[in-house]
Amino acid sequence: MANANDKANCQGTVVKRDKFIQLKRAWYKFSLNKTSVIGLVIVVAVAICAIFQPWLAPYPHHAGEFVDFANVNCPPCKEHWCGTDGVGRDILSRIMYAFRGAFTLGLGCLALVVPFGVVMGLIAGYHKGQWISTFIMRVTDVFLSIPPLIMALCVCAILRPTLFNSLLAVSVSWWTWYCRLVYSMTSSLRNEMYVKSAELTGASTAHILFREILPNCFGAVFTKMTLDMGWIILTGASLGFVGMGEQPPIPSLGTMVADGAKYIPGQWWISICPALAIMIIVLGFNLLGDGVKDMLSSEE
Amino acid sequence: MARTILEVKGLKKYFPIAAGEQKGKVVRAVDGVDFFIREGETLGLVGESGSGKSTTAYCVIGMYSITDGEISFKGQDISMHSSKRPLSIKKDIGMVFQDPGTTLNPQRSVKQILSLPLSVHKIVDKRDPEEQLLKLLEEVELPAEYLYSYPASLGGGERQMLAIARALATDPSLMVLDEPTSALDVSVQAKIINMLLRLQKERNLAYLFITHDLSLMRNLATRIAIMYLGKIAEIAPTETFFSAPRHPYTQMLLSSIPVMTEDEDALKPKRVVSRGEIPSPVDVPPGCSFNTRCPFVTDGCFEEDPAMREVGTDHWVRCHLFA
């Protein structure tokens, strides 16, 4: 038996190698779709800008309270690739600083929304037909019936408009999408024979929800997370645009677009450049999300 | 004679039809079934599709709440749904389903699958949990290196062996096998059947074996019960069942088994030709449910449903011909 044990241990390393091969195969599938690779490149580039902003931004001190009346409303040129704004701040630097806020918003929101929504969806889906499920799903419906932007505006108007509060505001209604997604998956997965057989063995509900059902929902949830990053950043920018996001002087993409809007069409770069930045982020995450979806769906 | 471990009395399971043209009616999937299983024996529950044999199995393991009747296991009443059964009962009854592709979670490794029943019933060997799992694999003739694989990398027969190992993990005394080989290749079937026979001998297991394959039962079963429209038509020891079948339905089934040689053909009952199809369990014919297909049908068959009568040792028939 000791022999068999050694064999199994040695097989453990083989499995690790198999996992690596699987990963390589997944990457190959992902890389087949060139647009999703472009998406990945965009997302990684934006993430690098967000993380290493003090070293990458050409004028890091322009992100704060800085005024340079000599360089006001300078159009895009060699020194200022995206031009300068109404008080002479370099727009490219400010966009790069705003990336960190946008990423924090997206990741923070997902960190709040995904665990909560997924757990709610698991509970509601597994107990479909019972009062607890009806209760959770009706609450979900109430939140879904209010447009997320309006909901977020209300929350931001009640609380002070800061990055953290807009993160909360977006989260308040966003969890419902994960709840619905996981609910529909769970309510069909609970009839799978492997779930039935775990029930017959006497496994606890927690085991069935988190060890039997959840791993089978993971692919769909992960795909939605990737796609949602873009949408959350867009919603955050919309909040910023109406003045309910991060407050000046801290740069935020939505606020920058709003500030520049009054100079259009003369000084178009003040608002078009951050708007393009928003577009690139959202595009990047959407392309990446599509690639992830293809990769995970073809794996089954 | 060995102790009776499972006894089913008057088991009924009706499914209400919730929607559609036949709304309000009920499907009489199982309609008054009595049988028992003794320690270490195999009861083959045979029937056409729609006869209620799988429903009977699911009632026994508690996957369905029963409509009426009584199920007792080792003298203990287990008529309730599995969620209300004590853990000790779940430990003592193992279940193997038809399609191993759907009963094993694709996201869980062999190790995780086999560990679940052990940890739920707190019988993990703390000193060497891995060896315990390897022993289980060895018992079902699976190589030790499969411990870290996932069901997707196993073949159909290997998956069914894994499902059997999972059912064996808690060391049950009764195993409910719902067509365990019908989804597999014939070559693999033989291997699984031989393994089940060996395990039965080693562990003194009782099997409730659900199948539609009569010829399979010839080598496997101690006794055979034939189900028709939710009722047992005939129940007899295997030898008697094949040599002296009494119920017209049994005779019809036995005469429809395809054979290769004339010798085999000589063994079959000649006179009954199969005709018709099993009626819907929603509209069960009045009187004897077999009256639409029976060649010996009389007027009485349309009026009264026959009761089970003992015609020999352990040999029971539900037919007016033996009144």
Side-chain angles (χ1 to χ4, degrees):
Chain A
M1 212 56 201
N3 245 342
N5 222 338
D6 290 347
K7 213 173 160 190
N9 282 341
C10 133
Q11 217 59 41
T13 49
V14 173
V15 169
K16 260 178 218 147
R17 198 192 60 206
D18 287 354
K19 274 258 156 81
F20 177 72
I21 291 169
Q22 256 176 24
L23 218 65
K24 254 175 91 173
R25 197 174 298 152
W27 165 249
Y28 173 73
K29 261 178 206 158
F30 180 82
S31 65
L32 280 181
N33 189 349
K34 294 295 169 232
T35 51
S36 47
V37 176
I38 294 173
L40 183 69
V41 169
I42 293 174
V43 168
V44 168
V46 173
I48 288 172
C49 288
I51 296 165
F52 301 106
Q53 48 178 335
W55 298 283
L56 289 176
Y59 303 94
H61 53 287
H62 286 209
E65 285 175 321
F66 174 83
V67 177
D68 178 9
F69 288 111
N71 273 316
V72 163
N73 292 343
C74 164
C77 57
K78 228 196 269 171
E79 286 80 37
H80 304 282
W81 289 3
C82 294
T84 61
D85 65 5
V87 289
R89 295 177 294 192
D90 179 51
I91 289 178
L92 181 64
S93 303
R94 287 181 63 76
I95 287 175
M96 286 168 96
Y97 268 76
F99 279 164
R100 186 178 281 186
F103 256 75
T104 314
L105 177 72
L107 292 175
C109 187
L110 286 180
L112 282 180
V113 152
V114 174
F116 185 73
V118 165
V119 169
M120 285 295 141
L122 281 172
I123 294 173
Y126 186 64
H127 295 105
K128 190 180 181 181
Q130 294 172 30
W131 68 269
I132 175 105
S133 164
T134 316
F135 177 74
I136 292 174
M137 292 326 287
R138 291 302 83 78
V139 170
T140 309
D141 286 345
V142 169
F143 278 103
L144 275 175
S145 63
I146 308 165
L149 190 60
I150 309 273
M151 184 80 183
L153 274 175
C154 293
V155 175
C156 277
I158 297 165
L159 305 168
R160 268 182 321 112
T162 61
L163 180 69
F164 180 71
N165 284 342
S166 52
L167 193 155
L168 276 184
V170 178
S171 304
V172 163
S173 59
W174 215 281
W175 65 272
T176 52
W177 295 107
Y178 287 90
C179 184
R180 284 256 293 233
L181 174 74
V182 175
Y183 167 79
S184 69
M185 293 192 76
T186 307
S187 58
S188 78
L189 284 173
R190 71 180 178 144
N191 294 321
E192 288 284 338
M193 290 314 262
Y194 54 78
V195 174
K196 294 277 173 217
S197 115
E199 284 172 351
L200 288 172
T201 312
S204 63
T205 308
H207 171 93
I208 289 167
L209 290 185
F210 295 108
R211 305 241 176 255
E212 303 283 346
I213 295 178
L214 183 60
N216 287 289
C217 299
F218 184 74
V221 170
F222 187 69
T223 306
K224 185 158 174 58
M225 280 167 72
T226 323
L227 288 167
D228 271 3
M229 270 297 279
W231 288 109
I232 292 171
I233 289 170
L234 193 64
T235 311
S238 313
L239 280 178
F241 187 79
V242 293
M244 291 292 173
E246 192 73 295
Q247 293 303 295
I250 304 165
S252 100
L253 294 170
T255 321
M256 286 165 75
V257 175
D259 286 349
K262 49 185 177 282
Y263 300 107
I264 283 178
Q267 283 85 38
W268 53 268
W269 58 88
I270 301 177
S271 130
I272 295 296
C273 287
L276 276 175
I278 297 172
M279 200 196 81
I280 286 170
I281 298 183
V282 177
L283 183 75
F285 276 110
N286 279 358
L287 294 178
L288 178 67
D290 283 339
V292 168
K293 187 168 77 187
D294 290 347
M295 181 177 78
L296 292 176
S297 65
S298 60
E299 203 152 34
E300 277 153 19
Chain B
M1 193 167 270
R3 209 154 57 97
T4 300
I5 65 166
L6 179 80
E7 186 152 25
V8 174
K9 273 188 200 156
L11 175 68
K12 286 183 184 172
K13 176 64 191 171
Y14 296 169
F15 294 99
I17 298 175
E21 274 176 35
Q22 298 186 307
K23 189 177 169 173
K25 289 188 178 177
V26 289
V27 179
R28 294 157 183 252
V30 179
D31 201 5
V33 159
D34 308 84
F35 64 87
F36 60 89
I37 299 177
R38 298 194 186 98
E39 232 164 26
E41 76 166 6
T42 303
L43 176 70
L45 195 56
V46 189
E48 290 173 87
S49 38
S51 61
K53 52 191 195 303
S54 285
T55 311
T56 309
Y58 291 166
C59 288
V60 169
I61 55 164
M63 226 165 96
Y64 294 147
S65 327
I66 65 177
T67 310
D68 194 23
E70 214 176 284
I71 308 170
S72 62
F73 180 71
K74 292 185 172 171
Q76 198 177 348
D77 179 47
I78 55 159
S79 309
M80 63 292 239
H81 188 262
S82 76
S83 55
K84 297 198 178 79
R85 289 184 183 179
L87 265 182
S88 60
I89 293 292
K90 294 183 183 180
K91 180 173 176 285
D92 221 7
I93 304 180
M95 176 79 201
V96 177
F97 292 97
Q98 179 175 8
D99 183 2
T102 60
T103 54
L104 302 169
N105 194 332
Q107 299 290 337
R108 289 174 70 71
S109 70
V110 171
K111 187 180 178 179
Q112 289 172 316
I113 288 171
L114 287 179
S115 302
L116 176 68
L118 298 174
S119 59
V120 166
H121 296 286
K122 302 194 174 60
I123 44 175
V124 181
D125 181 359
K126 292 220 173 62
R127 279 167 306 144
D128 197 351
E130 191 134 302
E131 174 149 347
Q132 200 181 7
L133 300 175
L134 290 175
K135 261 186 195 151
L136 272 173
L137 283 181
E138 201 182 56
E139 188 121 35
V140 294
E141 296 157 29
L142 284 178
E145 52 261 42
Y146 279 5
L147 200 54
Y148 295 93
S149 322
Y150 284 79
S153 57
L154 269 59
E158 291 171 330
R159 286 184 207 168
Q160 194 60 294
M161 288 176 195
L162 177 60
I164 293 169
R166 173 173 64 179
L168 281 177
T170 57
D171 198 17
S173 45
L174 171 70
M175 290 257 270
V176 179
L177 308 157
D178 181 21
E179 309 205 30
T181 58
S182 62
L184 306 172
D185 287 340
V186 181
S187 55
V188 185
Q189 270 186 25
K191 203 177 167 197
I192 300 249
I193 295 294
N194 286 332
M195 201 180 77
L196 286 172
L197 283 170
R198 176 176 59 77
L199 290 168
Q200 181 168 42
K201 235 180 235 165
E202 283 172 10
R203 297 173 168 238
N204 195 29
L205 279 164
Y207 288 152
L208 172 59
F209 202 114
I210 314 294
T211 183
H212 57 250
D213 189 351
L214 258 178
S215 38
L216 184 72
M217 284 296 105
R218 196 192 280 267
N219 307 314
L220 199 64
T222 324
R223 288 180 300 129
I224 299 177
I226 283 275
M227 272 193 91
Y228 188 78
L229 276 180
K231 287 172 184 158
I232 289 182
E234 181 165 8
I235 180 162
T238 309
E239 187 117 331
T240 326
F241 185 90
F242 283 100
S243 59
R246 305 302 284 270
H247 197 283
Y249 181 55
T250 319
Q251 293 173 1
M252 180 195 276
L253 284 182
L254 288 176
S255 60
S256 60
I257 294 179
V259 287
M260 300 291 283
T261 62
E262 280 178 16
D263 294 348
E264 282 178 306
D265 200 45
L267 288 172
K268 293 199 313 190
K270 288 265 149 27
R271 28 192 199 131
V272 183
V273 183
S274 173
R275 59 171 194 185
E277 290 235 12
I278 189 164
S280 155
V282 180
D283 297 304
V284 179
C288 174
S289 52
F290 190 55
N291 61 24
T292 54
R293 296 167 78 185
C294 185
F296 311 113
V297 69
T298 59
D299 290 343
C301 298
F302 292 96
E303 280 151 23
E304 201 191 335
D305 191 20
M308 277 297 232
R309 282 184 190 84
E310 193 162 17
V311 294
T313 327
D314 276 350
H315 191 171
W316 295 73
V317 179
R318 179 196 283 273
C319 182
H320 284 308
L321 291 175
F322 306 97

